[in-house]
Amino acid sequence: MVLETVNENLCVNKLIATKKDIIMVEGDMIVPDAKPDILNTICTSGVVCIYKKEVLDEKVRLDGNINTFIMYLADDSQDKMRGINTNLDFSEMIQIPNSKEGMDAVIQTKLKAIECKVINGRKIGIKATLEVEIKIYAKEEVEIVNDIQNAEGIQLLKEDLRVNSLVGMGENKIYTKDNISIDNIDNLAEILKVDIGMVDKDVKVSYNKILAKAEAKVKIMYLTEDNRVNSVEAKIPTVGFIDLPNVTEENVCDLDYDIKNIIIKPNATEEHSIYIELEIGVSAIVYEEKQINLIQDLYSPCEKLEFNKKKINTITNKQNRKEIKQIREKIEIEGMENKNIIDVDINPVIEKQDNLVNRIVYTGNLEINFVLASQTLPIEVRNAKIPFEYAIEGMEETENINSRLEIEIANQDFIVQEGGIVTSNIDLVMNYEMHQNTNINIMNEIQTNGEREAENNSLVLHVVKKGDTLWKIAKKHGSTIEDIVRINEIEDANKINVGEKLFIPRYVKTGIMYG
């Protein structure tokens, strides 16, 4: 006979696969006819645009381009500095075992390195290294049995759990544009370098809607018509909505941003400004926290019970944190004296993650590139590293933790002192997401199948062994915890000692429990 159960639905966002990979993107660029020949390159930078992600069977397809900016020294009588810009397209298939079409992917792409080589005065070879981190998820609807109705005599072992159930996933595109003003004395000749990053991220969740707020931080280095190098920085607000049924303000939301397309061009000379237009993709994963009273095990002292039992992987303790970490260091860099800092790029690189007792520690380096100007040379580049350590404290446990740390550069200030010593003041925004992976037992299709095999002896003696619990003992002998506690006058049902002798009342052929 199938028993009537009390059920609850849980949507599990099951992590199917994770992979970190390196993509090498290579290509050649022909110098436009309007530009002079190249003597040598000074520095190369790029902005990654991802316009398509697709999960296929056993693989993921990633399409995009690297908006590349190259500063070079012209091979002419005046040895002037010039700049060229090109798009380096790529389409990559990354093998991911167990991925299936229709699954969801969270993909982070980072430009790890980019360099170029002068092939001849009119041709440049470009080589970029992209670091890709991929997580593949599949939604699974499961039904949890919380209780059994009209089940007299059935013993239930329950556990109170707080789990994170998937509410839904959604995405949208944000279009934003602005005119970034430059100094009025500057007549812009050409753009030399562009850096774009998403900062000051915030999310507001309301009924059926997610508000994604952030700012696109844009730094542009440019050359003036009188051969000076200058730079400008601006933050462009980006706001977008994602419609998602059943989300509420109590839910936890993970957001990811992708720059999909960039348009940058100087306005008319008299406007002294640069036009920028961005297409940004934003995706959301939303969870709700559920309190469930989960049946871990069950039996009947007098009847045979049959049921299906399976183990599923779900997540608990989902949380997002944001914290400011200050870096105050003095670094010595050769050749910094009598130089003006035109621009500074900071690339945070996490080298190691250690899951220790009650905390997680990240160690890494801030890779810093200084773009300098002097009287003798138009532009020079110097590199430095600043080590850093960041710890997530107060963790209840760190086993089976799935975590992600994303670092933003909030503020930066560098002062060159005598002797080439550089005083650095950097504020890092540490955006931390984590959850714990937990296996839980799910039971269903519970039914009775006749009487349990009865015993002639109504009372047996059990000597407690290592690993025994009252539940295990009661189930083994066809008794109940309550009867064992009563007959042995046990004060704490959770505390029994190895070697302790317990009298166990059992179900007998008369169909009653003796004590």
Side-chain angles (χ1 to χ4, degrees):
M1 178 181 70
V2 177
L3 298 177
E4 188 176 352
T5 59
V6 178
N7 302 325
E8 183 175 356
N9 292 324
L10 179 68
C11 185
V12 177
N13 199 26
K14 189 175 181 181
L15 182 62
I16 301 298
T18 62
K19 185 172 185 178
K20 287 186 177 181
D21 206 352
I22 296 295
I23 298 175
M24 305 303 298
V25 183
E26 299 184 50
D28 293 336
M29 179 187 179
I30 303 299
V31 178
D33 292 340
K35 301 280 186 178
D37 285 359
I38 296 176
L39 182 62
N40 62 271
T41 59
I42 298 170
C43 70
T44 308
S45 62
V47 179
V48 180
C49 296
I50 303 295
Y51 48 78
K52 187 176 182 180
K53 305 173 185 176
E54 187 178 9
V55 180
L56 305 170
D57 291 346
E58 303 291 319
K59 56 192 173 186
V60 167
R61 178 173 174 169
L62 197 62
D63 293 324
N65 66 62
I66 304 171
N67 204 322
T68 307
F69 296 86
I70 301 170
M71 282 189 283
Y72 71 95
L73 195 64
D75 188 10
D76 58 22
S77 59
Q78 298 178 349
D79 289 340
K80 289 184 178 180
M81 185 180 61
R82 300 298 298 267
I84 48 178
N85 167 235
T86 187
N87 280 332
L88 199 60
D89 295 318
F90 63 88
S91 180
E92 194 76 16
M93 288 288 190
I94 302 172
Q95 299 300 313
I96 308 284
N98 302 318
S99 70
K100 301 290 182 184
E101 187 174 352
M103 289 183 177
D104 299 300
V106 175
I107 303 177
Q108 287 187 306
T109 307
K110 183 177 182 180
L111 182 60
K112 193 172 183 180
I114 185 168
E115 57 186 24
C116 59
K117 181 180 179 181
V118 177
I119 298 173
N120 57 54
R122 305 303 299 173
K123 188 176 182 181
I124 303 173
I126 308 171
K127 184 175 182 180
T129 304
L130 296 182
E131 187 176 68
V132 182
E133 183 175 355
I134 303 172
K135 293 182 179 180
I136 304 295
Y137 292 92
K139 294 187 287 289
E140 182 181 3
E141 297 281 352
V142 296
E143 197 172 63
I144 297 172
V145 177
N146 281 337
D147 206 352
I148 301 175
Q149 295 183 342
N150 304 321
E152 188 176 350
I154 292 181
Q155 305 298 301
L156 302 176
L157 179 63
K158 292 187 175 183
E159 182 181 2
D160 286 328
L161 294 173
R162 301 183 73 87
V163 299
N164 295 104
S165 180
L166 179 68
V167 178
M169 308 175 74
E171 60 183 14
N172 203 353
K173 293 178 182 178
I174 302 173
Y175 296 91
T176 186
K177 58 185 177 180
D178 201 358
N179 290 297
I180 301 175
S181 297
I182 63 175
D183 288 347
N184 286 331
I185 63 170
D186 290 347
N187 291 324
L188 192 148
E190 55 191 30
I191 293 172
L192 299 175
K193 184 173 178 286
V194 175
D195 292 305
I196 302 175
M198 302 305 298
V199 299
D200 301 332
K201 301 171 188 175
D202 192 19
V203 58
K204 301 293 183 185
V205 182
S206 59
Y207 185 67
N208 291 340
K209 196 175 290 290
I210 297 167
L211 172 63
K213 297 172 62 179
E215 291 185 312
K217 186 177 180 180
V218 182
K219 292 197 303 178
I220 301 175
M221 185 186 301
Y222 59 91
L223 183 69
T224 65
E225 290 183 354
D226 55 354
N227 206 36
R228 289 180 296 106
V229 176
N230 207 344
S231 64
V232 64
E233 184 174 317
K235 288 184 177 181
I236 304 174
T238 63
V239 180
F241 290 94
I242 300 174
D243 293 320
L244 203 58
N246 304 318
V247 302
T248 66
E249 59 185 10
E250 289 82 19
N251 298 153
V252 178
C253 180
D254 292 341
L255 282 184
D256 279 293
Y257 292 86
D258 286 315
I259 297 174
K260 292 183 172 294
N261 195 24
I262 304 171
I263 298 174
I264 299 176
K265 57 183 180 181
N267 288 317
T269 303
E270 61 273 9
E271 294 184 27
H272 299 283
S273 64
I274 302 169
Y275 174 80
I276 181 164
E277 184 177 322
L278 299 174
E279 178 187 346
I280 300 166
V282 57
S283 57
I285 306 177
V286 183
Y287 298 90
E288 65 174 323
E289 189 174 67
K290 281 190 173 184
Q291 177 79 39
I292 60 174
N293 193 230
L294 186 67
I295 298 174
Q296 297 291 302
D297 199 5
L298 75 163
Y299 71 93
S300 171
C302 55
E303 292 186 280
K304 292 180 181 178
L305 296 181
E306 294 179 351
F307 51 84
N308 290 329
K309 186 175 181 180
K310 69 174 182 177
K311 188 174 288 187
I312 66 167
N313 183 271
T314 186
I315 67 175
T316 63
N317 195 29
K318 180 78 180 73
Q319 56 183 290
N320 298 338
R321 301 184 187 181
K322 180 180 287 189
E323 188 177 11
I324 299 293
K325 180 176 177 62
Q326 295 181 328
I327 304 291
R328 304 290 184 261
E329 294 285 344
K330 289 185 176 182
I331 49 180
E332 185 175 355
I333 306 173
E334 185 178 351
M336 291 290 288
E337 286 187 285
N338 302 318
K339 302 291 195 307
N340 295 320
I341 298 177
I342 300 297
D343 185 54
V344 182
D345 289 334
I346 304 177
N347 180 29
V349 178
I350 298 171
E351 304 284 357
K352 188 179 179 184
Q353 174 183 334
D354 291 314
N355 288 18
L356 307 175
V357 178
N358 298 326
R359 64 181 186 144
I360 298 176
V361 179
Y362 295 90
T363 54
N365 289 291
L366 300 180
E367 298 181 349
I368 305 175
N369 296 321
F370 293 93
V371 179
L372 310 171
S374 65
Q375 293 181 347
T376 55
L377 290 173
I379 285 291
E380 297 179 72
V381 178
R382 293 286 186 273
N383 303 315
K385 287 185 179 182
I386 298 178
F388 71 89
E389 181 177 286
Y390 177 67
I392 308 293
E393 305 283 357
M395 310 285 291
E396 291 184 6
E397 57 179 297
T398 57
E399 290 186 7
N400 300 317
I401 289 289
N402 189 304
S403 62
R404 184 177 81 171
L405 179 63
E406 185 180 282
I407 304 176
E408 297 175 16
I409 310 299
N411 298 297
Q412 61 186 57
D413 184 43
F414 298 90
I415 301 173
V416 181
Q417 299 178 335
E418 292 184 6
I421 302 297
V422 179
T423 300
S424 58
N425 298 300
I426 307 168
D427 291 338
L428 305 177
V429 180
M430 315 302 264
N431 295 297
Y432 180 69
E433 300 173 3
M434 65 81 64
H435 65 258
Q436 189 166 12
N437 297 313
T438 303
N439 288 319
I440 61 176
N441 294 319
I442 301 296
M443 297 181 181
N444 55 26
E445 298 183 14
I446 304 169
Q447 58 185 344
T448 60
N449 188 17
E451 286 193 352
R452 177 172 173 159
E453 185 178 348
E455 299 286 347
N456 291 320
N457 299 318
S458 63
L459 202 67
V460 296
L461 182 66
H462 180 93
V463 180
V464 177
K465 300 183 293 296
K466 184 178 180 181
D468 275 352
T469 64
L470 284 186
W471 174 268
K472 291 180 180 178
I473 295 169
K475 183 178 180 180
K476 176 181 178 181
H477 294 292
S479 185
T480 69
I481 292 176
E482 292 77 9
D483 286 324
I484 297 173
V485 168
R486 176 176 53 82
I487 201 169
N488 292 277
E489 299 180 347
I490 297 173
E491 293 183 0
D492 186 352
N494 296 314
K495 191 174 182 180
I496 55 176
N497 301 313
V498 174
E500 186 177 352
K501 296 178 181 179
L502 300 176
F503 292 103
I504 313 297
R506 302 197 296 185
Y507 169 71
V508 295
K509 289 182 178 179
T510 57
I512 60 174
M513 298 291 295
Y514 287 91

